[in-house]
Amino acid sequence: MNAPHDLQTLRRPLPVEMSEALRARFGDRFSVANAVRDHHGNDESPYPSMLPDGVVFAQSTEDVVAVVNLCNQHGVPLIAYGAGSSLEGHILAIEGGISLDMTQMNKIVVLHAEDQTVTVQAGLTRKQLNEQIRDSGLFFPIDPGADASLGGMSATRASGTNAVRYGTMRENVVSLTVVTAQGKVIRTSRRARKSSAGYDLTRLFVGSEGTLGIITEVTVKLYPQPEAVSAAVCNFPTVHEAVQCVIQTIQLGVPVARVELMDANAVMAGNRYAKLTLRETPLLLFEFHGSEASVKEQAQTVQELAKDCGGMDFEWAERPEDRNRLWTARHNAYFAGLQLRPGCRASTTDVCVPISRLAECIDEATMLLEKASFPSTIVGHVGDGNFHVLMLLDPDSQEEWEESERLNHHLVTQAIEADGTCTGEHGIGLHKKQFMAHEHGEDVLDLMRSLKHAFDPNNILNPGKILDARP
Amino acid sequence: MNAPHDLQTLRRPLPVEMSEALRARFGDRFSVANAVRDHHGNDESPYPSMLPDGVVFAQSTEDVVAVVNLCNQHGVPLIAYGAGSSLEGHILAIEGGISLDMTQMNKIVVLHAEDQTVTVQAGLTRKQLNEQIRDSGLFFPIDPGADASLGGMSATRASGTNAVRYGTMRENVVSLTVVTAQGKVIRTSRRARKSSAGYDLTRLFVGSEGTLGIITEVTVKLYPQPEAVSAAVCNFPTVHEAVQCVIQTIQLGVPVARVELMDANAVMAGNRYAKLTLRETPLLLFEFHGSEASVKEQAQTVQELAKDCGGMDFEWAERPEDRNRLWTARHNAYFAGLQLRPGCRASTTDVCVPISRLAECIDEATMLLEKASFPSTIVGHVGDGNFHVLMLLDPDSQEEWEESERLNHHLVTQAIEADGTCTGEHGIGLHKKQFMAHEHGEDVLDLMRSLKHAFDPNNILNPGKILDARP
């Protein structure tokens, strides 16, 4: 499957002087070995490999400054690399250059339990974080599925299943340490819960996909581990009725922590993958956080709403092992989906619309997918109006790739016309640049380009992602 | 009381050609009358009047485009004017120019009750909004005290008493319509609850104080009117013990909607102003939102915490009239404070710190104020780590002004050293520019200046606010 256009023509070899400087500074932590470059030139997107010319393993903000300064001096592209779990080609080295591996920057810098914040190095993953802070009674709720790094999650403005209650990275990043394209180390904000002290650089770097600066430390909000957690699952005759139930739940203000939709295909894939016996119709999975009494009350309210919307077999679980059983299907949805077609490559849609328009968008997707020549599943963070179609493609079939692209284009167009977005949480990367003008208009793109130019005048930071450079 | 330096030297008269163009386009809606200019050259800050050369009353985004284009063409400063309730000199015409009055742009554009969003013209005030949407069962929670306009609240990243539960304007603005310095009309985001589609221009304009573009429409989140609301009040022997109670409440994850601190002076002022009989010691005011059961549970939890922290006379009220009685003192705190010294002019501090550092900062403020030569009160949005000292100054005394400035400087320095900010919610305007370098560092200021220059190369939009122009 090819990239939409050949992006490799812009490559030029790494200047010898720069390679020598990197080797002198980093020794073994600078590598041009094929296996290392290959590992850093692939992500979870449907694109083929696009390898960097070399990889540097950073261990400190000072390391990052050194690499940025060399890249800026030599006009060499620089791409930050976290867990490599991007779905949209963010980390592909379309113009070559240096991949800056952040995985060795995986320490907690400081936990402020009393303030419910933690500062971590950008390469720490969310699971590593939650393991290390477990004894504090706090947790970090953002869960995009993959065990992504905090830096990567910040850079793509990630969210996931808990966003309906706890928000996305936009709401949960307190402050960032960033190395600018000029090699300056800045901190975007102090640690107060709110501030009106000038332009919101934190929010500007969150979602900037490595194009405005390199994030080296992240301070995020933490939350008290809830006193009680319960889960519920409910089948519905159609996706439409399930979505109606979600809309009513949100409108009533029930503070549900998670509400996830799986279509019949996704349930079937989950049953096969994890040997479950869920009824193979559209399904909603709920999770409730709060006090014992509040969790009971939430579940009762939702049960009544589900019944009114045609829900069947409402099942409620309080014990951790029962909750895990209910959620197994959802947690495995991505890999279960891939197993429906062994050897396939997935392409994933990520539209997000106002919740009043969600049912019609999912209905349309369902209708289109019934006619598609490849298998697919739908899962959705429906409390946010966000859903994903996992399209399972033959990696050797250009026809399937083109068909999937047409389908994605159709869904995105419908979402934008419903006042929604082409991407709720995966980011633009390479794959969604084609939709930016439709979603935002050319005047907004001009402003974004001005901004990029102001921050990175030599266009060294992840060039060609989010936007094409100023013509 | 003088401004820190004479800012009026940069003024030059409005070009005749431009005045004629404005008169032709706007007729009576363009005014150079002294009374009108005077009204638009004063705010609630301690600065003296600084009048614009003329005032335009906008009625549409197209009107704004016309004014921006004329200002840009003639290099004339342009200052958006909402309710005039700014505390930091935001709307003062330090270089003259045009004040753009937005108060006639006060319509609801569209209410999407099903999605819990509303789009309004920027001049609509928060009370006007809540009155007009009451029948929808929804409300807009952000309450900065003053009946500010939604455009102004967006521009200063306002918050207030409800922020501990509902967030600030940062979290609650979904999308903005903005006229750029180039006269382009852009929409910063679509209406989906989340998006990862490029740079977060919404958050960039929120808090930009009219320096990056003119906000003409605002889409905000709404919330279901809570099923139950209750209030509680509790006295404490000292501010320190009251703050400890707040810290424990937040740490336990009690979803309190409001928690406000008043020091003994503020309580005394409230008693005098509204003929109340509250015990004149430090006081916490709580408000709880939720279901009947959840509200009861929250109040019980807080009552126990208050008792552990030395709280006295915990009083709990469910009926609206009883709640209002409890909250009267807080709602009138600003004007009650002013009445402590008839004819005074107030200067207000606005530091915000991580909550673990709040007690020591308020203790320090209390200690300093005991020695001050002017009266004062302290009120605090303590759930956010934010508090205000209202310093009641003789408007003719340069000594008191300088003393209040030294006191503010001391509190800000302490806050910044505690990893906090000079302004939690009032913005920078003129008054806090002096603290920007200490809070952010010069490299951040350089980035902010680059950003300002990229968006407004001719420096026409509220020049001299937030930052001085690039030297």
Side-chain angles (χ1 to χ4, degrees):
Chain A
M1 167 179 330
N2 298 326
H5 45 274
D6 187 356
L7 298 150
Q8 301 284 305
T9 52
L10 297 165
R11 292 186 83 103
R12 46 197 193 90
L14 217 52
V16 175
E17 194 189 334
M18 176 162 165
S19 296
E20 284 171 358
L22 287 171
R23 196 156 290 117
R25 172 77 164 77
F26 293 100
D28 286 351
R29 292 195 284 122
F30 168 56
S31 174
V32 293
N34 279 339
V36 176
R37 291 170 54 222
D38 193 62
H39 178 68
H40 291 80
N42 280 288
D43 59 11
E44 298 288 333
S45 77
Y47 292 113
S49 311
M50 302 183 208
L51 308 193
D53 298 311
V55 178
V56 174
F57 294 84
Q59 291 179 341
S60 67
T61 296
E62 294 66 41
D63 282 351
V64 175
V65 171
V67 177
V68 167
N69 283 338
L70 282 167
C71 285
N72 205 22
Q73 184 187 333
H74 293 281
V76 167
L78 178 61
I79 305 169
Y81 183 97
S85 52
S86 156
L87 293 163
E88 302 295 351
H90 292 94
I91 55 96
L92 300 179
I94 57 176
E95 301 179 17
I98 297 293
S99 174
L100 184 63
D101 185 299
M102 304 295 285
T103 54
Q104 296 181 21
M105 290 186 66
N106 62 351
K107 307 287 182 300
I108 288 183
V109 178
V110 56
L111 169 65
H112 287 103
E114 214 176 11
D115 297 319
Q116 302 177 358
T117 68
V118 68
T119 302
V120 305
Q121 290 184 312
L124 188 77
T125 71
R126 64 179 185 90
K127 288 186 183 172
Q128 290 170 339
L129 171 61
N130 276 323
E131 271 161 34
Q132 291 180 41
I133 63 173
R134 184 165 296 151
D135 292 345
S136 69
L138 299 169
F139 80 115
F140 175 66
I142 314 297
D143 171 7
D147 188 19
S149 68
L150 274 286
M153 289 172 66
S154 302
T156 50
R157 203 180 293 127
S159 50
T161 56
N162 270 318
V164 62
R165 170 141 182 180
Y166 297 95
T168 72
M169 290 303 277
R170 181 176 71 192
E171 286 80 23
N172 285 285
V173 175
V174 175
S175 178
L176 297 168
T177 299
V178 174
V179 177
T180 69
Q182 292 76 36
K184 305 287 187 187
V185 179
I186 64 164
R187 194 160 160 243
T188 57
S189 169
R190 303 182 78 81
R191 214 162 45 77
R193 282 168 68 111
K194 62 184 194 184
S195 170
S196 290
Y199 305 138
D200 191 347
L201 296 185
T202 308
R203 248 50 55 185
L204 189 56
F205 284 104
V206 169
S208 66
E209 303 186 7
T211 65
L212 299 181
I214 307 287
I215 297 168
T216 62
E217 290 182 7
V218 185
T219 302
V220 289
K221 293 185 196 169
L222 302 174
Y223 296 82
Q225 290 165 12
E227 180 191 326
V229 176
S230 74
V233 60
C234 187
N235 282 88
F236 290 82
T238 65
V239 164
H240 192 87
E241 284 152 310
V243 172
Q244 289 305 324
C245 176
V246 174
I247 292 176
Q248 292 182 23
T249 303
I250 299 294
Q251 282 171 0
L252 260 185
V254 181
V256 55
R258 294 175 151 141
V259 49
E260 292 289 308
L261 171 77
M262 299 175 72
D263 77 345
N265 280 348
V267 177
M268 185 257 289
N271 277 343
R272 283 198 204 172
Y273 185 80
K275 306 210 187 336
L276 303 171
T277 56
L278 294 163
R279 188 202 283 241
E280 292 179 2
T281 74
L283 193 76
L284 287 181
L285 281 152
F286 293 92
E287 195 168 277
F288 309 105
H289 294 179
S291 66
E292 299 283 355
S294 140
V295 155
K296 270 207 178 62
E297 190 180 36
Q298 291 177 47
Q300 278 161 1
T301 306
V302 168
Q303 181 165 14
E304 282 161 31
L305 290 175
K307 206 172 148 192
D308 291 348
C309 294
M312 310 168 285
D313 318 326
F314 188 92
E315 193 184 345
W316 182 36
E318 286 181 287
R319 293 190 311 166
E321 56 271 33
D322 294 335
R323 292 201 319 260
N324 288 342
R325 185 177 50 79
L326 294 187
W327 274 80
T328 303
R330 176 64 187 94
H331 283 139
N332 294 314
Y334 184 74
F335 293 105
L338 293 181
Q339 294 272 317
L340 283 182
R341 190 177 192 184
C344 72
R345 183 90 170 154
S347 182
T348 312
T349 72
D350 181 33
V351 294
C352 184
V353 295
I355 203 164
S356 65
R357 310 296 298 271
L358 180 61
E360 69 194 82
C361 289
I362 298 190
D363 287 348
E364 178 87 356
T366 305
M367 196 262 294
L368 290 171
L369 289 165
E370 276 166 9
K371 291 184 281 186
S373 58
F374 46 77
S376 64
T377 62
I378 299 178
V379 296
H381 311 308
V382 277
D384 299 319
N386 183 209
F387 69 95
H388 307 303
V389 178
L390 194 65
M391 299 183 284
L392 306 166
L393 309 176
D394 174 352
D396 299 320
S397 166
Q398 184 65 20
E399 292 70 32
E400 287 193 13
W401 166 249
E402 286 167 9
E403 185 184 344
S404 74
E405 286 291 280
R406 282 194 301 274
L407 206 145
N408 189 23
H409 198 281
H410 187 103
L411 295 184
V412 168
T413 303
Q414 187 190 25
I416 291 175
E417 281 162 14
D419 214 357
T421 175
C422 66
T423 174
E425 56 183 22
H426 293 168
I428 296 295
L430 287 177
H431 196 190
K432 301 215 179 88
K433 283 200 294 186
Q434 56 184 316
F435 304 121
M436 286 287 279
H438 185 187
E439 178 160 340
H440 293 295
E442 287 294 344
D443 290 332
V444 165
L445 267 51
D446 281 345
L447 263 194
M448 290 187 181
R449 281 192 200 98
S450 302
L451 207 158
K452 164 74 173 170
H453 186 73
F455 278 53
D456 179 23
N458 298 331
N459 195 27
I460 59 161
L461 297 173
N462 210 1
K465 308 299 166 61
I466 301 184
L467 298 162
D468 290 315
R470 212 187 284 251
Chain B
M1 168 177 329
N2 299 325
H5 44 275
D6 186 358
L7 296 150
Q8 302 284 305
T9 52
L10 296 164
R11 292 187 81 105
R12 43 192 196 95
L14 215 52
V16 175
E17 192 189 335
M18 179 163 161
S19 295
E20 283 170 359
L22 287 171
R23 198 157 287 119
R25 172 77 164 77
F26 292 100
D28 286 351
R29 290 195 284 120
F30 169 55
S31 174
V32 293
N34 279 340
V36 175
R37 290 169 54 222
D38 193 62
H39 178 69
H40 290 79
N42 281 287
D43 59 10
E44 299 288 333
S45 77
Y47 291 115
S49 310
M50 302 184 207
L51 309 193
D53 298 310
V55 178
V56 174
F57 293 84
Q59 292 179 340
S60 66
T61 297
E62 293 66 41
D63 282 350
V64 176
V65 170
V67 177
V68 167
N69 282 339
L70 281 168
C71 287
N72 205 21
Q73 184 186 334
H74 294 280
V76 167
L78 179 61
I79 305 169
Y81 183 95
S85 53
S86 157
L87 293 163
E88 301 295 352
H90 292 95
I91 55 94
L92 299 179
I94 57 176
E95 301 180 18
I98 297 294
S99 173
L100 185 62
D101 184 300
M102 304 296 284
T103 54
Q104 296 181 21
M105 290 185 66
N106 63 352
K107 307 286 181 302
I108 288 182
V109 178
V110 56
L111 169 66
H112 287 103
E114 213 176 12
D115 297 319
Q116 301 177 357
T117 69
V118 67
T119 301
V120 305
Q121 290 183 313
L124 188 77
T125 72
R126 64 180 185 88
K127 288 186 184 173
Q128 290 170 341
L129 172 61
N130 275 324
E131 272 161 35
Q132 290 180 43
I133 63 173
R134 184 165 295 150
D135 291 344
S136 70
L138 299 169
F139 81 115
F140 175 66
I142 314 298
D143 171 7
D147 189 20
S149 69
L150 274 286
M153 290 172 65
S154 301
T156 50
R157 205 180 293 126
S159 49
T161 56
N162 270 317
V164 62
R165 170 142 181 178
Y166 297 95
T168 71
M169 290 303 278
R170 180 177 73 192
E171 287 79 23
N172 284 286
V173 174
V174 175
S175 178
L176 296 167
T177 299
V178 174
V179 178
T180 70
Q182 293 75 36
K184 305 287 187 187
V185 179
I186 63 163
R187 195 160 160 240
T188 57
S189 169
R190 303 184 76 84
R191 213 163 45 76
R193 281 168 69 111
K194 63 185 192 183
S195 170
S196 291
Y199 306 138
D200 191 346
L201 296 186
T202 307
R203 248 49 56 184
L204 189 56
F205 284 105
V206 169
S208 67
E209 303 187 6
T211 65
L212 299 181
I214 307 288
I215 297 168
T216 61
E217 290 182 7
V218 184
T219 302
V220 289
K221 292 184 197 172
L222 302 174
Y223 295 82
Q225 290 165 13
E227 183 190 323
V229 176
S230 74
V233 61
C234 187
N235 282 87
F236 290 82
T238 65
V239 165
H240 192 86
E241 284 152 310
V243 171
Q244 289 304 323
C245 175
V246 174
I247 292 175
Q248 292 181 25
T249 304
I250 299 293
Q251 282 171 0
L252 259 186
V254 181
V256 54
R258 292 175 152 142
V259 50
E260 293 290 308
L261 172 77
M262 299 174 71
D263 77 346
N265 281 348
V267 178
M268 183 257 288
N271 277 343
R272 283 198 204 171
Y273 184 80
K275 307 209 187 335
L276 303 172
T277 55
L278 295 163
R279 187 203 285 242
E280 291 179 2
T281 74
L283 191 77
L284 288 181
L285 281 152
F286 292 92
E287 195 168 277
F288 309 105
H289 295 179
S291 66
E292 298 283 355
S294 141
V295 155
K296 269 209 178 60
E297 190 179 36
Q298 291 176 50
Q300 277 161 2
T301 307
V302 168
Q303 181 164 15
E304 282 161 32
L305 291 175
K307 207 171 148 193
D308 290 348
C309 295
M312 309 169 287
D313 318 327
F314 188 91
E315 192 185 345
W316 182 35
E318 286 181 289
R319 292 190 312 167
E321 56 273 33
D322 295 335
R323 293 201 320 262
N324 287 342
R325 184 176 52 77
L326 294 188
W327 274 80
T328 302
R330 176 63 186 95
H331 282 141
N332 293 316
Y334 184 74
F335 293 105
L338 294 182
Q339 295 272 317
L340 281 183
R341 189 176 193 185
C344 72
R345 183 90 170 152
S347 182
T348 312
T349 72
D350 181 34
V351 295
C352 184
V353 295
I355 202 162
S356 65
R357 309 297 298 272
L358 181 61
E360 69 193 84
C361 289
I362 297 190
D363 287 348
E364 177 87 357
T366 303
M367 196 262 293
L368 291 171
L369 289 166
E370 276 166 9
K371 291 185 280 187
S373 59
F374 45 78
S376 63
T377 63
I378 299 179
V379 296
H381 310 309
V382 277
D384 299 320
N386 183 207
F387 69 96
H388 307 302
V389 179
L390 195 64
M391 300 183 282
L392 305 167
L393 309 176
D394 174 352
D396 298 322
S397 166
Q398 183 67 19
E399 292 70 31
E400 288 194 12
W401 166 250
E402 284 168 10
E403 184 184 345
S404 75
E405 287 290 279
R406 283 196 300 274
L407 206 145
N408 189 24
H409 198 282
H410 187 103
L411 294 184
V412 168
T413 303
Q414 186 190 28
I416 290 175
E417 280 162 14
D419 215 355
T421 175
C422 65
T423 175
E425 54 182 24
H426 293 169
I428 295 296
L430 286 178
H431 197 189
K432 300 213 181 89
K433 282 199 297 185
Q434 56 183 317
F435 304 121
M436 287 287 279
H438 185 187
E439 177 158 340
H440 293 295
E442 287 293 345
D443 291 332
V444 164
L445 267 50
D446 282 345
L447 262 193
M448 288 188 183
R449 282 192 199 98
S450 303
L451 207 157
K452 164 75 173 171
H453 186 73
F455 277 54
D456 178 23
N458 299 330
N459 194 27
I460 59 160
L461 297 174
N462 210 1
K465 309 300 167 59
I466 301 184
L467 297 162
D468 290 314
R470 210 187 285 251

